[in-house]
C-alpha cells in the first residue's frame, strides 16, 4: 500500500459500533486526518444501503493537529432486517495524488478487524434481547488481565451465526480511570499528545496555568496531588466536607497521576480502545527520569500495562462487531464525583477543579456519551461543537459550563424488553440539612421520569451503575462512617444512603403498574453477584433480578471480600431479623450461589475476579441465566 494513502486514512481508534436499530446505525471512529468515505451496509452480498459521509450524517470534531473524532450516524428509509447477519464497511477515498477512483476499505486498513474469513465487519439487529454482555471498572494497570478481551473469544465462536450473538454490550461505568493512572500510562499519554499535536490549554486557579507548565513540572509524575486544588480559599466549605481537616477536593487514593487536561483524557481513550498508537510510543521512556524510589512501582505497572496492550486487538475487534452502550460512573470523571453537597460546593466553586471535571465530561461526551443515541445530543453539539477549531479549543470555559449544565446523559432504548440506562451522577438528591451527608443517587424529578417510562411495560432491563440491591453489611459499614461524618472514607454512595431516593426507588417497585419483571444491571463495586428480589406479603409481587458484574479489569481485596461475604451471610440471611432494621425491610432478597464446573462448592455469594457478565433472558425470572466469564478462562454461574 502506498505510504501516503496509508497515512491519509490512518485509523487511530475504532470503529466502535454504537447505537443500532432497524432505522439507525451509529459508529465512533478516530482518524489522523479528515475523512472522505462511503458507508456501505450489506446482507451477505446484497447491498442494502450506501451513503457518502457528509456533515448531515458524520459529525467530525478536530481535537488536535492530527486527530479527528467522528460520529457516523445514518438513518434508513427502508428498515434494515432483524435477526440476520449484516455487515458494514467504510470505503475511504485515495490520498491526494492517487487515482480518485481508488478506494481502501476497513479490512485493508485494519486486517485484524474481521473474524475468520469474513471480508467485512459483521453485526446483527436483535428483534428481542435474548442475551447480552455487560461489565464495568476497567483499570489498565490492575494486575489481573482484561476480561473485555473475553468478549472477542465469544463473538469469534458465533461470528457466522446471527441467532447466537449477544444483542448488545452494556458498559455500566468506569470505562476509564481518569483519577487513577499508572506512571507508564501517563508517559505514553504525553507521547500521544505530542505525536498527534493534541491541543494545549490554559486555565486559572493555580500556580501552574497551562499544558506546557504542567508537563515540565517536577510534580508531573507521581506527585500530582500537590498540583490538584484543595480550595484553601474556602475553608468554611472544607470544614463542612471534611470536618476541618485539610484535604484535597480530589479524593482518589490513586490521584498521584490524576489527569488534568482535556488532551490527556482524550489520549487515554485512544490508548484503552485501540492498539494503534501503542506502536508509536515507548512504554519505558519515563523510567530513567524518575527518582529511584519509584522504580519498583513503575516496573510493576509497566508489566500490567504490557499485558493490557497485548489484548487490545481483541478488544478493538469485539467493539467493532457488537452494539455498545455506555454510561459514566465516578472514575470516568473523578472518585467521589458529586458524593455530597459539600463536595460539589467545593469542587465547582474552584475554577481549576471545575475545569478538570469539565474536561473529563467533555472527553466522555466525545468518546462515550454521544454514541449512545446521537440525536439526544443535537442541542449540546450545536452549542459547543464549533468551539473545536484547527487552532485549538476556543472559549474553553464556555464549553465546560455547557457540558456541566447538560441534563440528558441518561437514555432509553426502545427494545424488547425496554432498556433504561440511568445517570446516577448528575441528578443527585442533595441533602439540605447537612452538606456532609451522601446525596441520593437520583433526585425526585428524574426518579419520577423513570417511573413514567416504566409504567405498563411487561418487562424491563434497568442499568444502574451502583447496585440498587447491594451487600447489606457493606452498606451498614458505610452508614456508620456517614454517621460520624466520614462518608468519603468508605465511598458511601449506594441507593439506601439517602432516605429520599431510597424511598422513591423502592416505591417504584411497589407501584401497581410497575413491570412484573425487572433485570437490574450494575457494576461499580469490584465484585460480582446476583440476587432475586420480591415484595414481602404481596401475592402478585414483581420479580426483580439484581445482577452485578464488576470489574472488567479490577477486583476487591480478596481476603477482605471473603470475610465480608461470610459475615454478611451470617448477619443478613433471608430470615434474619436484622433485615427489619434496613430500608429494604419490605423486600425479600434471596442470593444466588456461585456455581463453577456445574457444582456449588460452598455458600459463597460474592465472586471476586476480573470478569465480564452475561445474562441469558427467559420469560420466567427464575430461569434467567446469570454468568461471568473471567479473564483467566473460567465460566461462573450464579444459581
Amino acid at each position: 500500500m502506498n505510504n501516503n494513502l496509508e497515512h491519509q486514512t490512518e485509523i487511530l481508534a475504532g470503529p466502535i459500533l454504537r447505537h443500532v436499530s432497524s432505522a439507525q446505525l451509529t459508529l465512533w471512529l478516530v482518524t489522523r486526518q479528515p475523512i472522505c468515505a462511503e458507508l456501505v451496509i450489506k446482507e451477505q452480498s446484497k447491498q442494502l444501503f450506501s451513503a457518502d459521509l457528509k456533515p448531515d450524517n458524520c459529525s467530525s470534531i478536530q481535537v488536535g493537529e492530527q486527530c479527528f473524532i467522528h460520529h457516523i450516524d445514518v438513518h434508513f428509509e427502508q428498515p434494515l432486517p432483524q435477526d440476520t447477519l449484516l455487515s458494514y464497511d467504510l470505503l475511504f477515498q485515495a490520498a491526494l495524488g492517487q487515482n480518485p477512483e481508488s478506494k481502501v476499505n476497513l479490512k485493508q486498513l485494519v486486517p485484524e478487524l474481521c473474524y475468520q474469513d469474513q471480508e467485512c465487519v459483521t453485526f446483527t439487529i436483535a428483534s428481542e434481547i435474548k442475551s447480552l454482555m455487560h461489565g464495568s471498572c476497567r483499570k489498565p494497570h490492575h494486575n489481573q488481565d482484561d476480561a473485555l478481551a473475553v468478549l472477542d473469544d465469544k463473538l469469534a465462536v458465533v461470528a457466522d451465526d446471527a441467532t447466537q450473538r449477544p444483542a448488545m454490550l452494556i458498559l455500566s461505568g468506569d470505562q476509564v480511570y481518569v483519577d487513577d493512572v499508572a506512571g507508564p500510562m501517563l508517559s505514553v499519554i504525553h507521547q500521544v499528545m505530542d505525536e498527534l499535536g493534541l491541543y494545549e490549554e490554559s486555565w486559572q486557579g493555580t500556580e501552574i496555568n497551562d499544558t506546557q507548565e504542567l508537563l515540565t513540572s517536577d510534580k508531573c509524575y507521581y506527585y500530582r496531588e500537590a498540583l490538584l486544588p484543595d480550595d484553601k480559599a474556602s475553608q468554611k466549605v472544607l470544614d463542612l466536607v471534611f470536618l476541618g481537616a485539610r484535604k484535597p477536593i480530589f479524593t482518589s487514593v490513586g490521584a498521584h497521576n490524576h489527569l488534568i487536561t482535556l488532551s490527556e483524557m482524550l489520549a487515554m481513550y485512544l490508548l484503552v480502545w485501540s492498539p494503534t498508537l501503542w506502536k508509536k510510543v515507548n512504554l519505558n521512556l519515563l523510567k530513567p527520569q524518575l527518582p529511584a524510589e519509584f522504580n519498583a512501582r513503575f516496573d510493576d505497572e509497566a508489566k500490567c500495562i504490557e499485558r493490557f496492550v497485548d489484548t487490545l486487538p481483541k478488544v478493538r475487534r469485539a467493539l467493532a462487531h457488537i452494539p455498545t452502550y455506555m454510561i459514566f460512573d465516578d472514575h470516568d470523571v473523578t472518585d467521589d464525583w458529586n458524593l455530597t453537597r459539600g463536595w460539589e460546593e467545593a469542587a465547582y466553586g474552584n475554577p481549576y477543579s471545575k475545569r478538570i471535571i469539565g474536561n473529563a465530561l467533555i472527553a466522555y461526551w466525545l468518546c462515550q456519551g454521544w454514541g449512545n443515541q446521537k440525536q439526544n445530543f443535537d442541542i449540546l453539539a450545536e452549542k459547543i461543537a464549533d468551539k473545536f477549531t484547527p487552532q485549538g479549543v476556543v472559549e474553553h470555559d464556555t464549553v465546560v459550563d455547557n457540558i456541566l449544565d447538560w441534563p440528558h446523559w441518561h437514555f432509553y432504548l426502545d427494545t424488547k424488553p425496554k432498556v433504561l440506562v440511568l445517570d446516577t451522577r448528575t441528578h443527585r438528591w442533595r441533602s439540605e440539612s447537612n452538606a456532609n451527608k451522601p446525596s441520593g443517587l437520583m433526585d425526585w424529578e428524574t426518579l419520577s421520569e423513570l417511573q413514567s417510562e416504566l409504567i405498563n411495560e411487561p418487562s424491563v432491563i434497568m442499568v444502574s451503575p451502583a447496585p440498587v440491591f447491594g451487600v447489606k453489611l457493606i452498606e451498614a459499614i458505610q452508614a456508620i462512617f456517614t454517621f460520624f461524618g466520614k462518608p468519603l472514607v468508605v465511598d458511601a454512595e449506594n441507593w439506601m444512603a439517602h432516605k429520599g431516593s431510597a424511598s422513591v426507588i423502592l416505591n417504584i417497585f411497589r407501584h401497581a403498574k410497575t413491570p412484573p419483571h425487572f433485570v437490574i444491571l450494575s457494576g461499580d463495586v469490584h465484585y460480582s453477584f446476583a440476587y432475586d428480589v420480591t415484595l414481602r406479603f404481596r401475592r402478585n409481587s414483581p420479580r426483580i433480578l439484581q445482577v452485578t458484574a464488576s470489574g472488567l479489569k479490577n477486583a476487591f481485596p480478596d481476603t477482605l471480600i471473603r470475610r465480608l461475604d461470610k459475615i454478611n451471610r451470617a448477619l443478613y440471611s433471608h430470615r434474619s431479623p436484622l433485615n427489619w432494621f434496613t430500608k429494604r425491610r419490605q423486600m425479600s432478597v434471596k442470593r444466588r450461589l456461585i456455581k463453577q464446573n456445574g457444582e456449588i462448592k460452598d455458600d459463597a455469594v460474592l465472586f471476586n475476579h476480573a470478569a465480564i457478565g452475561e445474562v441469558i433472558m427467559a420469560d420466567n425470572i427464575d430461569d434467567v441465566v446469570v454468568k461471568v466469564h473471567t479473564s483467566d478462562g473460567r465460566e461462573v454461574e450464579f444459581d
Side-chain angles (χ1 to χ4, degrees):
M1 184 182 300
N2 183 282
N3 287 335
N4 289 331
L5 178 60
E6 184 176 7
H7 185 274
Q8 178 79 5
T9 55
E10 184 178 6
I11 299 175
L12 302 175
I16 297 179
L17 183 61
R18 300 302 314 275
H19 178 54
V20 171
S21 69
S22 290
Q24 183 180 3
L25 179 143
T26 304
L27 293 172
W28 179 87
L29 184 73
V30 184
T31 60
R32 188 182 286 270
Q33 300 293 340
I35 58 173
C36 185
E38 176 188 6
L39 173 67
V40 176
I41 298 176
K42 294 182 179 180
E43 181 181 10
Q44 297 180 350
S45 59
K46 178 183 178 182
Q47 182 169 301
L48 302 178
F49 175 86
S50 69
D52 292 330
L53 299 185
K54 298 178 180 179
D56 62 341
N57 60 23
C58 180
S59 299
S60 298
I61 303 290
Q62 185 173 1
V63 296
E65 294 174 7
Q66 297 183 55
C67 190
F68 296 78
I69 298 175
H70 311 283
H71 290 87
I72 300 167
D73 184 64
V74 294
H75 296 254
F76 311 113
E77 293 183 3
Q78 296 295 324
L80 296 182
Q82 298 178 326
D83 303 323
T84 189
L85 197 65
L86 305 174
S87 66
Y88 69 85
D89 204 351
L90 290 169
L91 307 180
F92 297 90
Q93 288 191 4
L96 295 175
Q98 302 296 317
N99 181 354
E101 296 183 359
S102 175
K103 294 185 178 182
V104 59
N105 68 4
L106 283 173
K107 188 172 184 178
Q108 291 173 287
L109 291 172
V110 190
E112 66 273 19
L113 200 61
C114 298
Y115 286 113
Q116 300 162 5
D117 297 326
Q118 293 178 347
E119 292 300 314
C120 298
V121 182
T122 57
F123 69 102
T124 60
I125 303 169
S127 60
E128 180 180 358
I129 300 175
K130 296 181 179 178
S131 69
L132 59 80
M133 308 296 289
H134 68 117
S136 70
C137 307
R138 185 168 174 253
K139 184 164 70 172
H141 61 284
H142 188 267
N143 60 10
Q144 294 180 4
D145 290 333
D146 186 6
L148 190 54
V150 177
L151 175 61
D152 181 70
D153 298 328
K154 186 172 182 63
L155 291 177
V157 173
V158 297
D160 294 319
D161 190 344
T163 63
Q164 296 301 311
R165 286 193 177 204
M168 62 182 63
L169 168 67
I170 296 178
L171 299 175
S172 58
D174 300 341
Q175 280 68 255
V176 293
Y177 277 68
V178 166
D179 60 333
D180 188 353
V181 181
M185 174 66 86
L186 185 57
S187 171
V188 169
I189 284 171
H190 293 156
Q191 294 174 59
V192 167
M193 290 166 60
D194 184 62
E195 167 76 18
L196 301 180
L198 299 185
Y199 293 145
E200 298 183 359
E201 65 183 279
S202 58
W203 55 84
Q204 299 176 343
T206 180
E207 294 181 2
I208 291 177
N209 293 317
D210 61 41
T211 302
Q212 282 304 312
E213 289 183 4
L214 173 65
L215 298 182
T216 56
S217 169
D218 58 0
K219 295 182 174 62
C220 184
Y221 296 98
Y222 291 111
Y223 287 114
R224 285 199 173 193
E225 303 100 316
L227 302 178
L228 297 173
D230 63 3
D231 201 21
K232 295 177 181 178
S234 185
Q235 183 62 41
K236 182 178 179 181
V237 172
L238 285 173
D239 288 342
L240 288 171
V241 182
F242 303 115
L243 300 184
R246 180 70 69 191
K247 182 165 178 152
I249 292 169
F250 293 90
T251 57
S252 172
V253 295
H256 323 292
N257 291 315
H258 197 302
L259 301 186
I260 291 173
T261 72
L262 175 60
S263 290
E264 286 181 331
M265 297 169 187
L266 292 173
M268 166 70 91
Y269 278 103
L270 300 181
L271 291 165
V272 300
W273 280 340
S274 173
T276 298
L277 287 165
W278 286 99
K279 302 170 186 176
K280 304 178 183 296
V281 298
N282 180 353
L283 186 62
N284 294 296
L285 184 66
L286 175 65
K287 186 179 177 181
Q289 307 169 33
L290 290 176
E293 63 184 290
F294 292 114
N295 282 346
R297 177 177 176 176
F298 186 96
D299 288 342
D300 289 343
E301 291 174 339
K303 290 175 183 176
C304 294
I305 291 175
E306 284 174 350
R307 298 205 314 271
F308 174 78
V309 174
D310 286 344
T311 58
L312 277 177
K314 299 178 70 173
V315 170
R316 181 187 206 177
R317 181 166 63 175
L319 294 178
H321 285 77
I322 185 170
T324 303
Y325 299 90
M326 311 177 189
I327 190 63
F328 47 51
D329 206 8
D330 55 346
H331 295 289
D332 294 288
V333 176
T334 191
D335 194 21
D336 297 328
W337 179 31
N338 296 343
L339 177 60
T340 68
R341 174 167 61 87
W343 188 97
E344 291 190 56
E345 290 172 354
Y348 299 117
N350 181 300
Y352 185 29
S353 55
K354 180 181 177 182
R355 169 64 69 89
I356 296 170
I357 296 166
N359 281 342
L361 208 48
I362 294 167
Y364 170 83
W365 167 62
L366 287 170
C367 300
Q368 294 195 62
W370 206 352
N372 290 320
Q373 284 182 320
K374 186 173 175 294
Q375 64 272 21
N376 293 356
F377 292 92
D378 287 346
I379 295 176
L380 178 64
E382 289 175 5
K383 291 181 179 180
I384 63 177
D386 63 351
K387 308 301 183 187
F388 295 82
T389 74
Q391 291 73 42
V393 181
V394 298
E395 301 179 34
H396 202 124
D397 288 334
T398 299
V399 177
V400 167
D401 287 339
N402 278 283
I403 209 82
L404 291 176
D405 289 341
W406 185 249
H408 300 301
W409 299 107
H410 55 291
F411 58 97
Y412 311 129
L413 304 178
D414 189 20
T415 49
K416 182 182 178 182
K418 187 174 186 177
V419 175
L420 303 102
V421 181
L422 310 185
D423 165 11
T424 60
R425 285 287 164 186
T426 73
H427 292 286
R428 289 292 174 107
W429 193 329
R430 301 170 183 88
S431 172
E432 297 181 3
S433 62
N434 188 335
N436 194 43
K437 286 185 177 180
S439 298
L441 299 194
M442 290 171 63
D443 59 24
W444 185 87
E445 290 80 5
T446 49
L447 284 168
S448 296
E449 178 187 336
L450 171 63
Q451 184 171 34
S452 69
E453 293 289 337
L454 291 170
I455 287 177
N456 293 325
E457 290 289 333
S459 62
V460 297
I461 297 170
M462 189 169 80
V463 182
S464 168
V468 177
F469 299 91
V471 178
K472 291 180 180 178
L473 174 63
I474 295 176
E475 292 177 356
I477 294 171
Q478 292 173 331
I480 292 170
F481 274 82
T482 297
F483 178 81
F484 288 103
K486 300 288 185 180
L488 293 162
V489 174
V490 289
D491 200 17
E493 44 194 342
N494 60 73
W495 277 96
M496 300 301 112
H498 183 278
K499 184 178 180 180
S501 60
S503 175
V504 174
I505 191 68
L506 293 178
N507 281 333
I508 287 175
F509 295 127
R510 291 193 286 262
H511 193 281
K513 295 184 179 180
T514 202
H517 296 97
F518 271 93
V519 174
I520 304 173
L521 304 180
S522 302
D524 178 53
V525 293
H526 303 167
Y527 48 85
S528 303
F529 60 89
Y531 292 165
D532 288 289
V533 184
T534 56
L535 298 177
R536 297 183 188 271
F537 317 120
R538 184 160 152 184
R539 180 177 300 175
N540 296 315
S541 167
R543 300 297 307 276
I544 304 164
L545 176 58
Q546 169 71 65
V547 181
T548 303
S550 179
L552 289 165
K553 200 177 190 300
N554 214 332
F556 209 85
D558 197 54
T559 300
L560 178 57
I561 199 63
R562 287 201 302 269
R563 290 175 179 172
L564 290 172
D565 189 10
K566 186 175 181 179
I567 297 170
N568 182 68
R569 284 182 277 125
L571 294 180
Y572 294 97
S573 65
H574 178 55
R575 294 182 174 85
S576 170
L578 288 179
N579 291 316
W580 291 97
F581 295 94
T582 70
K583 293 184 177 70
R584 293 190 292 259
R585 62 184 65 88
Q586 295 183 355
M587 315 291 285
S588 174
V589 180
K590 294 184 179 180
R591 307 176 182 94
R592 295 194 180 189
L593 301 180
I594 296 170
K595 179 191 290 186
Q596 297 191 59
N597 299 321
E599 296 182 1
I600 296 175
K601 295 184 177 181
D602 53 37
D603 292 332
V605 173
L606 307 180
F607 181 76
N608 188 43
H609 198 282
I612 187 170
E614 179 181 15
V615 177
I616 302 173
M617 303 295 290
D619 293 335
N620 189 324
I621 284 287
D622 290 336
D623 297 327
V624 173
V625 177
V626 178
K627 300 179 181 179
V628 293
H629 302 269
T630 68
S631 59
D632 60 1
R634 289 174 288 158
E635 180 179 286
V636 177
E637 186 173 344
F638 295 91
D639 194 9

